[in-house]
Amino acid sequence: MIRSIITGVGGYLPEKILTNFDLEKMVETSDEWIRERTGIQSRHIAADDQTTSSLAILAAKDAIQNAGINGEDIDLIILATTTPDDTTPATAMRVQAALGAVNAFAFDVQAACSGFMYALSVADKFIKTKTVKTALVIGAETLSRIVDWQDRNTCVLFGDGAGAVIVKAEEISDQDNASGILDIILHSDGRLRDLLTTTGGVSRTKTAGFVHMEGREVFRHAVTNLSNVAQEIIDTTGIKLSDVDYLVPHQANLRIIEGTAKKLDIPMEKVIVTLPHQGNTSAASIPLALYEGVRSQKLKKGDLVLLDAMGAGFTWAGALIRL
Ligand code: UT7
């Protein structure tokens, strides 16, 4: 039996930091409001000459180095983003060229904040069907480019960044304790697309538009969907929740993370939280949380990790991985 094993994790955050106090000078808001309602204190913002691909390339190089491989070893690159460099070709093509990943095929996936989970699921399928042996999966965003910096309802929430993982095929015999992706469950509900959307798009308005969100409604659905899909993946895999070492949730709002953890009866000490200094980096948020977990030595080889995402669409997803 083949499993997809994560062998390297990488991340990159732009140098420029925008604090809540900086935002106080831009819109009618306060550090106190942002911290109390979201848990966010600061976020990273891409420099003018940085794009989603330049962030992705740095995260990917980090993951490649940590996995001990070369660009030519990669068979597949999937990049999840809502903020591509160009309308076409895919941002993944720029990453492929920069990495010298000449043996790979590459494409983008768009599933908003669940994008990394969708991309990881696709990579897992390509590996399990023996189409590829080594995949690079990236979540990368320059959300600052589609945020309306005059809209206090949204501009305080988002940040830029990129996270990446190398996933490799490995033949396993002992299914119970072997490392790898146990399962990933994906969900969507397009009927709710207007609750979190952009005010434009290439075909509709010939623009990229700006982020628009019905925050309270999204919040309500987020806690329900995140806890339901987490429970669903626990039931599907037959794993006990008490055996999960860490929850790695999408980082949108600390109250959402705490609410989900509470519903699942997972103590906050077992939750990776990057939100205070990164904000919501959409598709980059889960791989950046994995990166932080590994970097801080909280996440260790053999740990059972529950990934949990929710975003525009709506899209939501859960995954169980043994590191
Ligand atoms: O990544 C995809 C998933 N995204 C999410 O999950 C985000 C989900 N939503 C949220 O995180 C929260 O709904 C927000 C953080 C966006 C908003 O928090 P809230 O507690 O739901 O606030 P609210 O929207 O109900 O607004 C409460 C008040 C309003 O004023 P009134 O109408 O009560 O007078 C807002 O106008 O807070 C006001 N407000 C602000 N005040 C200061 C909204 N944004 C701000 C702000 N600073 N930045």
Side-chain angles (χ1 to χ4, degrees):
M1 185 192 178
I2 288 184
R3 274 251 179 102
S4 311
I5 321 267
I6 293 181
T7 58
V9 184
Y12 174 75
L13 291 160
E15 267 178 46
K16 184 180 169 190
I17 291 170
L18 187 73
T19 66
N20 291 351
F21 298 105
D22 296 327
L23 281 163
E24 282 182 356
K25 295 175 199 136
M26 296 161 66
V27 285
E28 204 184 320
T29 191
S30 66
D31 170 58
E32 192 188 2
W33 190 96
I34 303 170
R35 263 190 298 111
E36 273 178 13
R37 301 288 181 121
T38 73
I40 301 168
Q41 296 170 34
S42 62
R43 64 289 289 144
H44 293 256
I45 303 291
D48 287 346
D49 62 351
Q50 287 183 310
T51 60
T52 292
S53 72
S54 53
L55 273 49
I57 289 162
L58 291 170
K61 282 184 174 168
D62 195 20
I64 287 170
Q65 193 186 353
N66 290 333
I69 62 165
N70 297 309
E72 304 95 74
D73 298 327
I74 300 168
D75 307 312
L76 164 66
I77 299 172
I78 312 179
L79 187 147
T81 191
T82 309
T83 46
D85 283 27
D86 307 290
T87 302
T88 195
T91 303
M93 312 314 297
R94 287 182 187 265
V95 176
Q96 178 189 19
L99 299 177
V102 288
N103 299 311
F105 60 99
F107 59 94
D108 286 0
V109 156
Q110 214 287 44
C113 300
S114 309
F116 176 79
M117 301 281 272
Y118 274 60
L120 192 63
S121 175
V122 175
D124 185 40
K125 268 60 176 187
F126 273 120
I127 285 174
K128 284 190 176 139
T129 53
K130 300 189 182 177
T131 312
V132 307
K133 283 194 172 133
T134 304
L136 165 63
V137 183
I138 309 166
E141 301 282 10
T142 44
L143 289 163
S144 58
R145 306 276 154 79
I146 58 162
V147 161
D148 175 354
W149 289 103
Q150 279 156 20
D151 176 14
R152 70 174 185 175
N153 291 301
T154 51
C155 76
V156 302
L157 303 173
F158 299 101
D160 298 336
V165 297
I166 297 291
V167 192
K168 284 187 94 169
E170 201 166 290
E171 193 75 49
I172 58 148
S173 48
D174 171 12
Q175 220 170 304
D176 287 344
N177 294 314
S179 292
I181 297 171
L182 276 60
D183 203 1
I184 304 180
I185 294 176
L186 309 178
H187 288 292
S188 321
D189 188 346
R191 292 170 300 181
L192 300 170
R193 65 190 180 278
D194 290 338
L195 293 177
L196 178 45
T197 182
T198 52
T199 53
V202 184
S203 180
R204 208 159 53 80
T205 59
K206 300 184 200 164
T207 64
F210 292 108
V211 175
H212 169 82
M213 178 165 63
E214 303 293 332
R216 220 173 294 179
E217 273 297 290
V218 178
F219 190 106
R220 201 168 57 79
H221 285 279
V223 178
T224 307
N225 289 344
L226 286 165
S227 46
N228 284 354
V229 75
Q231 191 59 57
E232 190 182 352
I233 196 131
I234 289 292
D235 295 343
T236 308
T237 51
I239 299 276
K240 287 200 289 287
L241 254 175
S242 53
D243 288 338
V244 169
D245 293 295
Y246 273 96
L247 173 66
V248 181
H250 172 51
Q251 313 279 321
N253 185 316
L254 193 57
R255 289 186 292 142
I256 293 176
I257 296 174
E258 286 170 348
T260 306
K262 195 171 171 202
K263 273 197 165 192
L264 296 170
D265 206 16
I266 296 177
M268 283 305 287
E269 304 84 73
K270 289 170 75 172
V271 183
I272 303 288
V273 179
T274 57
L275 187 78
H277 298 291
Q278 293 182 15
N280 180 350
T281 58
S282 192
S285 115
I286 289 200
L288 274 171
L290 276 176
Y291 175 64
E292 175 55 26
V294 171
R295 207 190 53 78
S296 63
Q297 299 184 328
K298 281 186 181 158
L299 300 181
K300 293 178 210 71
K301 182 103 186 122
D303 276 354
L304 194 57
V305 177
L306 174 59
L307 312 186
D308 208 4
M310 150 86 193
F314 286 157
T315 55
W316 64 106
L320 258 182
I321 301 175
R322 191 172 293 282
L323 296 178

